[in-house]
Amino acid sequence: MNLRDLSYLVALAEYRHFGRAAEASFVSQPTLSTQIRKLEDELGVALVERTPRKVLLTETGREIARRARAVLSQVDEIKSIAQRTRDPESGTIRLGIFPTLGPYLLPHVIPRLRERFPRLELLLREEKTEQVLHMLREGTLDAGILALPVHDDSLHTEFLFEEPFLLAVPGGHPLASRRKLRMEDLSEQNLLLLEDGHCLRDQALEVCHMAGAGEKSGFRATSLETLRQMVSANVGITLLPALAVKPPIAQSANVQLVEFDAPAPSRRIAMLWRKSSAMTPFFEALAAVIRDVPAHLLSANGCATGQPDATPHVAPPSS
């Protein structure tokens, strides 16, 4: 048994297709199939059920693949330890981030990371929260940037910053002329929300619950940009996080942004990694750079369109 054969089994467990697993492993399909059969012969058990249309792992195969994935993750950790010993700020980091934050935070953070860690190769993976958590647990990501709360005792949580929400409304909406909003102003309003699986949907639903608002029926967006365009088209109103309305993001026509009175609804962003990781000191340094994002980017002050600037405020951390 060798690590290469274990990696083939893990790839097969992930793709459930010999051709795609071989492509992901950079070998031919016959080579991968032959090595899987050799692994089965060596272990003396069937690992794969071969059917005409798809590949299924046996119960034993699934369990061995799960353990093989952990072994390969540990091997990667060993290599990382050696690399960090030679040069603590070089090597490759696989970082996950969720879609309603990545496009808006990364343009401000990546140049700072490149300046601070010029030899670092940062591989970014944009996925919904549950997928990022799954990949962290499985070892296919080194760290992730997610919205709190995250309930997983195996992960270390490093708080980064709090990001307030603004209300986005069409220009002719009754709330467009408001200088500041109270939560009760949303009472009986119906908001446009994202589809299931986005953490921003859960956060918006929590705001709706606190304010006595509801969800606009018959529509769920696949992205934050779709929500913005639906507001522009007079379909409804929605919540947008502060980073999503800051330059270089262009303002959309017919979209008014209205701030909330303090304490504004917000989301808390953190960086997470496995507690077992040998790279904790480096991740702490990485988090410090991300945490140092300019304060004005994380303030709703000055975001409101068509309204005078209000007195700056910072929303207190949520409990």
Side-chain angles (χ1 to χ4, degrees):
M1 186 189 308
N2 57 51
L3 294 175
R4 179 196 59 192
D5 292 344
L6 292 180
S7 71
Y8 292 162
L9 180 63
V10 168
L12 194 58
E14 180 176 354
Y15 292 98
R16 299 184 181 183
H17 186 278
F18 276 102
R20 289 194 291 271
E23 182 179 356
S25 303
F26 303 102
V27 296
S28 67
Q29 181 173 333
T31 296
L32 185 136
S33 181
T34 298
Q35 293 305 124
I36 293 293
R37 286 192 181 278
K38 286 183 177 179
L39 184 59
E40 289 178 314
D41 292 341
E42 181 179 353
L43 295 173
V45 294
L47 301 175
V48 180
E49 294 180 19
R50 295 165 176 84
T51 67
R53 293 189 176 183
K54 59 183 176 181
V55 173
L56 298 175
L57 265 66
T58 64
E59 182 178 351
T60 301
R62 290 193 298 271
E63 177 63 17
I64 292 176
R66 184 183 69 81
R67 294 177 180 272
R69 191 179 289 111
V71 169
L72 294 171
S73 177
Q74 288 297 315
V75 170
D76 286 342
E77 291 279 358
I78 291 170
K79 292 178 179 178
S80 295
I81 292 171
Q83 175 64 28
R84 297 295 172 204
T85 301
R86 293 193 299 270
D87 188 350
E89 295 180 358
S90 70
T92 300
I93 294 296
R94 302 162 299 177
L95 181 68
I97 192 167
F98 58 101
T100 61
L101 179 65
Y104 314 107
L105 173 66
L106 294 176
H108 304 289
V109 167
I110 295 300
R112 296 168 181 270
L113 291 175
R114 285 176 176 165
E115 181 179 359
R116 174 64 180 82
F117 306 107
R119 298 183 303 279
L120 178 68
E121 181 184 35
L122 189 61
L123 301 181
L124 296 166
R125 181 74 178 261
E126 187 179 280
E127 297 283 357
K128 293 179 182 178
T129 296
E130 284 305 314
Q131 181 64 14
V132 171
L133 287 172
H134 173 75
M135 296 176 74
L136 277 172
R137 297 181 190 114
E138 295 294 329
T140 52
L141 285 177
D142 298 307
I145 298 178
L146 297 173
L148 298 176
V150 172
H151 304 291
D152 190 321
D153 292 339
S154 71
L155 299 177
H156 172 80
T157 299
E158 189 81 8
F159 176 74
L160 296 177
F161 54 79
E162 187 147 2
E163 182 185 19
F165 292 119
L166 296 96
L167 187 69
V169 302
H173 194 277
L175 295 178
S177 61
R178 298 293 296 271
R179 184 172 181 270
K180 285 287 186 74
L181 289 174
R182 297 168 298 177
M183 289 291 284
E184 53 262 36
D185 292 328
L186 294 184
S187 177
E188 300 183 2
Q189 296 284 339
N190 291 315
L191 275 64
L192 298 166
L193 301 180
L194 291 170
E195 64 183 359
D196 289 335
H198 288 278
C199 62
L200 183 57
R201 171 181 173 80
D202 298 331
Q203 295 151 5
L205 282 172
E206 184 178 353
V207 173
C208 289
H209 177 73
M210 291 188 297
E215 177 181 4
K216 188 175 181 66
S217 61
F219 174 83
R220 289 186 181 180
T222 57
S223 72
L224 211 55
E225 294 313 304
T226 301
L227 284 180
R228 198 193 310 265
Q229 294 309 312
M230 291 300 98
V231 174
S232 179
N234 291 303
V235 174
I237 67 177
T238 195
L239 292 172
L240 293 177
L243 281 168
V245 299
K246 298 282 187 173
I249 305 301
Q251 293 188 6
S252 299
N254 194 41
V255 175
Q256 293 283 99
L257 302 171
V258 190
E259 299 173 33
F260 287 89
D261 272 331
S266 61
R267 61 182 182 183
R268 305 180 76 234
I269 306 300
M271 185 169 163
L272 296 93
W273 58 86
R274 292 179 298 281
K275 290 179 179 179
S276 60
S277 174
M279 296 190 290
T280 290
F282 176 76
F283 288 145
E284 289 173 343
L286 199 68
V289 175
I290 299 172
R291 187 185 296 115
D292 197 33
V293 64
H296 71 88
L297 294 174
L298 302 173
S299 171
N301 178 243
C303 289
T305 51
Q307 304 297 328
D309 287 351
T311 303
H313 70 268
V314 177
S318 56
S319 58

